[in-house]
Amino acid sequence: MVQLGAMPLPQFVALHPDARMSPEDLNVLKTYLAPWTPPATTAQVTPAANPAPPVDLASVPPEPGGFAFDPSFEGWKLLSTTDRGDNYSLRFILGNGIAINAARSGNISPWPTGARFAKIAWQQQPGPDGLIHPGHFIQVELMDKDSSRYKSTDGWGWGRWRGLDLKPYGDDAAYVSECTGCHLPVRGNDYVY
C-alpha cells in the first residue's frame, strides 16, 4: 500500500511529516517483508511472443503410478496462495467442492474422502509496478483424499504435471515418495499444509 501511495494516509502525514517514506525506506520495508523475492535484476514480466497452444486437459496422461489428471480442477475454488522462497515460485491452491465445504466447516482432521486439491505454480517475476507477478508456468500438482484407495501413501493420491504440455512427473511410480516426504512435516494436519 505504501508503494501504491495509499499509506501512510495523507491526513496522517500532514500531522506527522516524518512518517513520509523515502524510496530507501520503502526498499528496506520490501526487503524485510519479502526476503525471498527474486532479485531486482530478474527479467520483467512480458507477454510471451509465441504462447504455447492450450493443452487439451482431457487428454493429459496419468502419472506413472496411474494417478489420473483431473481436468475439472479449473472450476475449483481458491483456498489459499503461497510462495516458496527457495525456488522463487508462487502457488495457487484450489479445492474441489468437498474440500471447500470441509474447510468452511472445519472438518479437516482428517479431510473427508473425495477432498481434492490442485496446486498451480508459476515462477515469481517482478513487474514494472514493483510487485511480484506470476511469470512462467511451472506445474500443476493434485492431491486426492481416499484412505482406502491410497493406503500406502497416507490416504492421499499424489500427482504432478510439469510444463505447458503438462508432462507427467517422474520416471516410475516411486516419484510419489517426493510428495509424501515433502508433506511429512504436516502429518499431524492430515498431510496438508
Side-chain angles (χ1 to χ4, degrees), residues 33-48:
L33 293 175
W36 291 337
T37 301
T41 57
T42 303
Q44 300 293 309
V45 175
T46 55

Side-chain angles (χ1 to χ4, degrees), residues 7-180:
M7 291 297 285
L9 295 171
Q11 304 91 322
F12 185 83
V13 174
L15 294 172
H16 307 280
D18 56 329
R20 183 172 281 112
M21 293 189 67
S22 69
E24 294 79 20
D25 295 332
L26 177 60
N27 191 42
V28 168
L29 183 62
K30 286 169 59 176
T31 301
Y32 174 76
L33 293 175
W36 291 337
T37 301
T41 57
T42 303
Q44 300 293 309
V45 175
T46 55
N50 294 312
V55 172
D56 175 13
L57 297 181
S59 66
V60 173
E63 278 289 351
F67 186 85
F69 185 80
D70 185 348
S72 72
F73 84 90
E74 287 190 310
W76 298 354
K77 302 289 184 207
L78 183 68
L79 276 170
S80 183
T81 60
T82 187
D83 67 344
R84 280 191 47 191
D86 61 327
N87 65 11
Y88 301 118
S89 64
L90 297 172
R91 291 142 190 267
F92 286 5
I93 296 92
L94 310 178
N96 69 356
I98 295 170
I100 295 293
N101 290 335
R104 285 181 180 150
S105 69
N107 182 25
I108 59 172
S109 187
W111 288 85
T113 295
R116 300 195 97 191
F117 302 107
K119 185 167 42 176
I120 308 161
W122 295 270
Q123 273 314 124
Q124 293 180 12
Q125 288 288 344
D129 54 6
L131 301 176
I132 301 300
H133 297 267
H136 297 289
F137 172 78
I138 302 171
Q139 64 192 13
V140 173
E141 297 172 307
L142 297 175
M143 290 174 62
D144 177 22
K145 178 66 178 205
D146 188 330
S147 297
S148 60
R149 187 172 175 199
Y150 304 115
K151 287 180 185 175
S152 67
T153 52
D154 304 309
W156 288 96
W158 311 84
R160 180 184 303 165
W161 292 263
R162 297 188 55 95
L164 291 173
D165 59 351
L166 296 174
K167 180 181 180 205
Y169 177 79
D171 297 325
D172 56 37
Y175 78 88
V176 79
S177 65
E178 289 182 37
C179 304
T180 57

